[in-house]
Amino acid sequence: MTPARQQSHYVTTKVGHRRMPINEWWAGDPSERYWLEITNRDNLGENLIAPQQNDAGREEWSYTLVSYVRPGDIVLHWTKLGQRSIVGYSRVVTDPFESSLEWQSRGSYGRTRPPSGEEDAWEATLEGYAQLRRPATQDVLRALEPRIRAVRDDLVIEHGSPIYFPFAISDLRPLRASQAYLTKFPARLVELIPQLREVRQLAAEEPGEETTGSSRRATKDRGSSRASGFGREHDAKRRRAIERYAVECVISHYKEAGYDVEDVGDRCAWDVTVIKDGQELHLEVKGSSVERDAIDVTEGEVRHAEDVGTTLIVIDQIQMDSQLRCSGGRWRHWDTWSPVRELLAPTAYRHVLPEGGVMARPRA
C-alpha cells in the first residue's frame, strides 16, 4: 500500500537552475541516509561541494547528488591519499544550497588545465567528523566483493539504473571506488561492512531511524527514563495508553466514515493508512494528556511527510483515570502537513505546530 518510491525528474532550484534527472530510488526510506564522498582533499568533514557543471559544460550526476542530501544524513569519506579507505564519517547539518568555488579538475587531463576560476557549485555543510576506529580499506572491501556485487545487482533489479553505486565492480578488475565525487551508499552496505558497525550504531541512536512513528514502532523503548519537559509522559505505560487511545480514535472515526483502514504504525513511518474511492491517505497521529503547542517527531516521520502527502492529527488534553482508561481529547488536524526543517530541534525533533489547525475532527 506504500506509494512507489522511485523517482526520476527535473527539479528547479530557487534561482531557477534546473537539475539533471536523478533516479531518486532512496526517497521515502528513512534508513537510506548514507552517502560516500570520494576525494583526495585533506579537510574531510567540512562540507560537500562540487561544481554544477563539469569541464565540458554539462551536469554530472556525482556533482548533482550534492543537492539531494538532507540534514541528518551521514556522509562516509573515502580518501585517495595513502591507503585507499573509508576513513571517517560526518553528518549533514544544512539543506543543500547554491554556492561557488574555484575548481581545478583532477584527472590526468584536468591537471594539465589551469583553474577555471569561480563557478557555480552545490554545497552542504557537514559537522561532527569522526575517524573510524578501523578504516574500511580497499583490501577489506575486495574480500567482500561477491556480497557487495550482490547488493548492487539486487538494487538495480528493484529500482532500475542508475543507482549511483559507490564501487566499480567488473570481471576485468578488482573492486575499487567509483570514479565519481559523491555517490549513494546503500544502507545494505552499511550493514554488510564490519568496520561500519559504529556508523550503524550512530544511526540507530538518532531519533526515528528504524523506530519511526510513535513508540509502538520502537524496537525498544529508549525514552521511558529520559526527562524531557514539555509535558511528555514520564511513565511509559501511560504514554503508550495515550498513544494507543489516540490511534484507536482515529481508526474508529475513519471506519465510521466508510474508509478501509489499516493500522501500520508498527512497520511504517506513519501510523494509519486509509483508503476510500481509490484514494489513499497516510495519517500521522499524536496523542497527549496535556495541551500541546509542539510535538515530538522523528526523522522517519519528517522524511515521510516531506516525500508523501500526510495528514497530521493531534489529539491532546486526553483524560486518564487510575486504571489507564482514556477519554475525551481535543482534535486538531493539518491535511497537508510538511514539517519545516528550521523549526525542528535536531536532538529531539520538537515540531512547533503551525497556525491554522482546524478545531474539529477531519471531514471524512
Side-chain angles (χ1 to χ4, degrees):
M1 297 174 64
T2 303
R5 291 199 300 260
Q6 185 171 327
Q7 302 178 41
S8 181
H9 56 272
Y10 283 101
V11 177
T12 302
T13 69
K14 291 181 180 179
V15 297
H17 184 91
R18 194 173 73 158
R19 293 182 293 181
M20 69 183 300
I22 292 292
N23 177 22
E24 200 177 354
W25 60 265
W26 57 89
D29 186 345
S31 69
E32 290 293 352
R33 59 187 303 190
Y34 305 99
W35 306 83
L36 181 68
E37 181 191 37
I38 301 168
T39 184
N40 57 9
R41 63 193 295 191
D42 55 11
N43 58 338
L44 298 177
E46 179 178 306
N47 62 358
L48 294 174
I49 188 165
Q52 293 185 6
Q53 295 182 337
N54 61 21
D55 292 334
R58 294 190 294 269
E59 291 179 282
E60 187 170 314
W61 63 260
S62 72
Y63 300 161
T64 300
L65 282 184
V66 175
S67 67
Y68 279 81
V69 303
R70 293 180 176 176
D73 283 354
I74 295 172
V75 178
L76 304 169
H77 302 282
W78 174 281
T79 181
K80 300 177 183 178
L81 303 176
Q83 188 178 33
R84 295 173 181 247
S85 312
I86 302 174
V87 295
Y89 55 91
S90 306
R91 188 185 313 282
V92 179
V93 293
T94 66
D95 285 315
F97 55 92
E98 296 191 71
S99 180
S100 62
L101 56 68
E102 187 169 301
W103 179 249
Q104 173 65 62
S105 301
R106 292 299 179 186
S108 57
Y109 168 71
R111 282 193 295 269
T112 67
R113 302 182 61 200
S116 60
E118 190 172 280
E119 56 186 287
D120 293 337
W122 298 116
E123 184 174 353
T125 304
L126 306 178
E127 71 173 17
Y129 175 75
Q131 288 188 327
L132 290 172
R133 295 185 183 92
R134 294 184 299 150
T137 65
Q138 185 164 260
D139 288 342
V140 166
L141 297 172
R142 284 176 174 174
L144 296 170
E145 181 170 337
R147 298 173 68 185
I148 293 174
R149 182 192 293 261
V151 169
R152 181 201 63 181
D153 294 346
D154 287 347
L155 287 173
V156 170
I157 291 171
E158 293 170 18
H159 303 289
S161 293
I163 58 169
Y164 319 110
F165 203 64
F167 304 116
I169 304 175
S170 73
D171 295 330
L172 301 177
R173 296 179 60 187
L175 176 147
R176 59 204 182 280
S178 170
Q179 293 295 312
Y181 170 62
L182 186 69
T183 66
K184 185 69 185 71
F185 201 88
R188 297 177 201 180
L189 290 184
V190 178
E191 295 290 331
L192 173 64
I193 300 169
Q195 288 74 12
L196 300 183
R197 178 180 178 184
E198 63 192 271
V199 179
R200 296 198 301 271
Q201 293 174 344
L202 169 72
E205 291 167 1
E206 288 300 302
E209 181 46 43
E210 271 83 28
T211 58
T212 54
S214 70
S215 65
R216 299 178 300 128
R217 294 191 283 274
T219 55
K220 60 179 180 178
D221 186 1
R222 294 192 295 266
S224 59
S225 62
R226 296 179 181 175
S228 58
F230 289 91
R232 179 184 289 180
E233 300 295 332
H234 294 281
D235 185 301
K237 290 183 179 179
R238 286 173 54 86
R239 185 174 64 252
R240 285 194 292 268
I242 287 170
E243 290 172 343
R244 187 66 246 169
Y245 169 79
V247 169
E248 288 175 352
C249 285
V250 169
I251 289 174
S252 176
H253 172 69
Y254 279 88
K255 280 185 175 179
E256 291 176 3
Y259 283 77
D260 293 328
V261 180
E262 184 177 10
D263 183 353
V264 297
D266 60 347
R267 62 184 185 277
C268 295
W270 63 99
D271 292 298
V272 179
T273 297
V274 297
I275 302 175
K276 188 176 184 180
D277 298 330
Q279 182 179 9
E280 178 175 310
L281 300 176
H282 293 178
L283 313 180
E284 182 60 41
V285 182
K286 299 294 181 181
S288 177
S289 63
V290 300
E291 180 177 348
R292 283 285 186 176
D293 292 318
I295 55 172
D296 292 334
V297 291
T298 68
E299 178 66 13
E301 292 165 351
V302 169
R303 291 184 180 218
H304 181 74
E306 288 174 338
D307 293 331
V308 180
T310 302
T311 294
L312 171 66
I313 301 174
V314 177
I315 307 177
D316 62 4
Q317 302 180 33
I318 295 171
Q319 300 164 20
M320 174 180 284
D321 64 19
S322 60
Q323 302 301 312
L324 303 186
R325 291 184 296 240
C326 299
S327 62
R330 177 182 66 161
W331 287 59
R332 286 173 293 167
H333 69 276
W334 290 260
D335 287 330
T336 53
W337 172 60
S338 182
V340 178
R341 287 268 178 184
E342 290 76 10
L343 299 180
L344 299 176
T347 56
Y349 284 155
R350 186 168 302 281
H351 174 54
V352 177
L353 294 175
E355 297 290 333
V358 180
M359 299 288 288
R361 301 186 183 196
R363 178 178 296 174

